[in-house]
Amino acid sequence: MKNAIMVVCLVILVLLSIFSLEIAEASFYFVEIYLSPDGYIHTGLLGLNNIIQAYLNICFGLWLGVFVFMYTKLGSRLECIFLPTRVRIFFLGDNYEKNVLTKYHRNLIIASAIIGFPVLMMTHLEKSYLINLLLDEDGFFEYFSFFLLFFSGLILILVFFLRRIKYKLPIGATNTLFAVFSVLILFIAFEEISWGQRIFNVETPMAIKEVNYQSELNLHNIFNLYFPVIYPLSAIVLFTLCLLGWIPRRSYRTPRFQLIFPYPSLFSLAFFLLISSMFGGFEIFEIFFSLFAFFYSLTLYLTYINNLDPKSV
């Protein structure tokens, strides 16, 4: 019975991902006809306000369901049906005897779903003035992504020094990898805001202006023409690698591998990252990437700060 339920859930998840655009269009059509006073949700803030209120009601219902599911006797019984032991181990289990981060990983799964759906829905509100304002250059989400990536890089640097100073671990392959990750993420963060060009009113050198599609002081906009290929390809590779690392429990899943590799509780963000790369637009993809990088680095930091056997890796 449990296996049948899990198969049905998996099929539903696949169908929802395949027909996500059709479901979104049908949902917005319903809101336009029955909830929007002006009958058109893409204009003005009144229709957008109706969508936000509807979403808040859904969130309230979701949180109520989560509370019942996790903190009541009824939830304990339902958990045996909908979250069998294998599923709980997949998302929350690790190689430590005492996992003090189980609650953190559980909350991360829930938060990822609650954050992910409205962010992905913003693609369908692209004609809204408010959404355009949030997604524009120097808009809220650009700086939101920058700060997430910036703090991700700093956290990885802190992890590097925790291993070196607190745990007296030598500079080996793992420490080197953390250093490379931190430099790469910080580079992407400052690329996101064109290295502060618009903040400090820096003029773009002519050599870069001639090859940069937006005439900005960065490198990534030189390759704008290839973004429709680069973003989906990178998301597919990341999601595929994550699945290959999470699902098969083989000999390569050593303590070091499980420490460095993204934790299974990041599955929701990896999935949203994949969907956004195909249907969500560049800005939405960058938001999910920054969220993924931040929670990946935060998980590493919490692992070391809680003394979860780091010397074994």
Side-chain angles (χ1 to χ4, degrees), residues 139-196:
F140 171 79
F141 282 111
E142 181 167 284
Y143 281 99
F144 175 73
S145 298
F146 164 74
F147 282 112
L148 282 179
L149 291 170
F150 179 72
F151 285 116
S152 301
L154 294 184
I155 291 172
L156 286 175
I157 292 174
L158 185 57
V159 169
F160 175 87
F161 284 107
L162 275 174
R163 286 176 58 87
R164 290 286 294 140
I165 298 173
K166 184 176 180 179
Y167 297 106
K168 310 298 182 182
L169 296 174
I171 297 180
T174 304
N175 266 354
T176 302
L177 197 59
F178 289 156
V180 171
F181 282 170
S182 63
V183 171
L184 180 61
I185 291 175
L186 287 173
F187 176 82
I188 295 173
F190 284 103
E191 278 280 301
E192 182 72 12
I193 60 170
S194 300
W195 301 90

Side-chain angles (χ1 to χ4, degrees), residues 95-143:
N95 61 324
Y96 305 111
E97 292 182 2
K98 281 189 175 181
N99 183 9
V100 298
L101 300 183
T102 296
K103 187 176 181 181
Y104 161 78
H105 290 296
R106 182 177 59 190
N107 292 338
L108 177 55
I109 295 172
I110 298 169
S112 298
I114 293 176
I115 295 172
F117 281 110
V119 172
L120 201 59
M121 284 177 65
M122 287 194 301
T123 306
H124 303 281
L125 288 169
E126 58 184 5
K127 295 181 182 179
S128 164
Y129 171 76
L130 177 60
I131 298 301
N132 281 332
L133 189 65
L134 292 173
L135 292 174
D136 274 349
E137 290 284 338
D138 294 328
F140 171 79
F141 282 111
E142 181 167 284
Y143 281 99

Side-chain angles (χ1 to χ4, degrees), residues 264-307:
S265 59
L266 291 169
F267 171 83
S268 296
L269 289 176
F271 179 73
F272 283 123
L273 186 67
L274 176 65
I275 298 301
S276 66
S277 69
M278 298 178 179
F279 308 112
F282 301 154
E283 295 83 2
I284 306 298
F285 174 88
E286 290 166 358
I287 293 171
F288 282 120
F289 177 79
S290 60
L291 285 168
F292 187 92
F294 176 74
F295 285 113
Y296 169 75
S297 58
L298 182 61
T299 301
L300 284 173
Y301 172 75
L302 291 175
T303 298
Y304 278 101
I305 209 68
N306 285 282
N307 299 307

Side-chain angles (χ1 to χ4, degrees), residues 14-29:
V14 172
L15 291 175
L16 286 175
S17 64
I18 293 175
F19 298 104
S20 59
L21 290 178
E22 289 76 7
I23 294 171
E25 288 297 328
S27 302
F28 276 85
Y29 178 77

